[in-house]
Amino acid sequence: EAGVTQFPSHSVIEKGQTVTLRCDPISGHDNLYWYRRVMGKEIKFLLHFVKESKQDESGMPNNRFLAERTGGTYSTLKVQPAELEDSGVYFCASSQVDRGRYGYTFGSGTRLTVV
Amino acid sequence: DQQVKQNSPSLSVQEGRISILNCDYTNSMFDYFLWYKKYPAEGPTFLISISSIKDKNEDGRFTVFLNKSAKHLSLHIVPSQPGDSAVYFCAASGIWSGAGSYQLTFGKGTKLSVIP
């Protein structure tokens, strides 16, 4: 079974530019999550999709972040315009059921550096 | 305000000995606690979890203990192996927003080094 795939693995952009991160969940997983780890800090929840619908986006930092999940398959996370504080590692995860005790399968992450 | 705390940034243990990683939390509404393991350039990998109504869960070399009165949990690895060297994240799950979605709240992680 293929895991959660994220790309790019690294992205370096200038402040004010736009970046789009992509996540391909495990096939058949209706639940897709985005998390972010800013340097030296904990991994934080951003949002949760169930199929193509946003179930919970309470963790999104501000309206410069836009997440979509086309047809309930892959998801994109766009940052526009990027700011220095957006630098960090963005993780995508997926699961069949939305239950914390089973754990989610995480991708390897996209390391975003805004300069 | 950090709800899940891992106060030890790093831990070194001899191969074959026990590794004990600690985690404290503040919110009594968490219903599950999980441990994730992370290697460099990889995503966190689910290791083991425990329900808030249990006090112990065991899976092979890994055992998680939960002390609800102290709001404390620990992960024991016995015996420790060099391949266990990684960053270990404590996480807690619960529903925080009106949307009813489970979220994981993570600690900052503890880097475990198992010395051969």
Side-chain angles (χ1 to χ4, degrees), chain A residues 8-102:
Chain A
S9 57
H10 293 85
S11 180
V12 181
I13 62 170
E14 292 185 351
K15 176 182 172 181
Q17 288 187 322
T18 298
V19 63
T20 300
L21 314 180
R22 173 167 168 149
C23 168
D24 286 76
I26 292 173
S27 178
H29 281 192
D30 288 340
N31 296 280
L32 185 149
Y33 312 84
W34 284 97
Y35 282 78
R36 173 175 77 168
R37 187 185 189 196
V38 172
M39 182 67 72
K41 298 202 171 182
E42 62 272 26
I43 302 169
K44 283 196 170 180
F45 171 84
L46 294 178
L47 88 159
H48 170 210
F49 282 99
V50 177
K51 296 184 180 180
E52 67 276 7
S53 300
K54 289 176 188 173
Q55 175 74 21
D56 184 350
E57 52 184 332
S58 62
M60 295 288 261
N62 51 60
N63 59 12
R64 295 187 293 103
F65 289 75
L66 175 64
E68 294 178 327
R69 189 177 183 192
T70 306
T73 55
Y74 70 92
S75 173
T76 57
L77 180 64
K78 181 191 288 187
V79 185
Q80 179 182 27
E83 298 289 344
L84 299 179
E85 64 264 24
D86 300 332
S87 295
V89 182
Y90 289 76
F91 292 105
C92 175
S94 72
S95 68
Q96 284 184 309
V97 290
D98 176 33
R99 287 289 301 184
R101 69 173 163 149
Y102 296 116

Side-chain angles (χ1 to χ4, degrees), chain B residues 56-70:
Chain B
K56 178 182 174 181
N57 187 28
E58 195 172 349
D59 184 3
R61 296 186 298 115
F62 303 92
T63 303
V64 56
F65 295 92
L66 175 62
N67 182 335
K68 283 189 71 176
S69 61

Side-chain angles (χ1 to χ4, degrees), chain A residues 35 48 55-56 99-101 104, chain B residues 34 36 49 97 99 101-102:
Chain A
Y35 282 78
H48 170 210
Q55 175 74 21
D56 184 350
R99 287 289 301 184
R101 69 173 163 149
Y104 311 139
Chain B
L34 305 91
Y36 280 83
S49 68
S97 68
S101 168
Y102 271 90

Side-chain angles (χ1 to χ4, degrees), chain B residues 24-106:
Chain B
D24 297 293
Y25 63 95
T26 58
N27 194 328
S28 57
M29 297 300 290
F30 287 127
D31 59 355
Y32 280 95
F33 301 90
L34 305 91
W35 285 93
Y36 280 83
K37 176 179 177 180
K38 185 184 179 306
Y39 293 116
E42 294 185 10
T45 302
F46 172 71
L47 199 55
I48 191 170
S49 68
I50 187 168
S51 165
S52 60
I53 62 172
K54 305 272 187 170
D55 55 20
K56 178 182 174 181
N57 187 28
E58 195 172 349
D59 184 3
R61 296 186 298 115
F62 303 92
T63 303
V64 56
F65 295 92
L66 175 62
N67 182 335
K68 283 189 71 176
S69 61
K71 291 191 174 67
H72 177 84
L73 64 153
S74 60
L75 174 68
H76 293 212
I77 305 174
V78 183
S80 301
Q81 299 173 353
D84 296 329
S85 297
V87 177
Y88 288 77
F89 290 96
C90 172
S93 84
I95 297 176
W96 309 124
S97 68
S101 168
Y102 271 90
Q103 297 180 16
L104 293 180
T105 302
F106 284 86

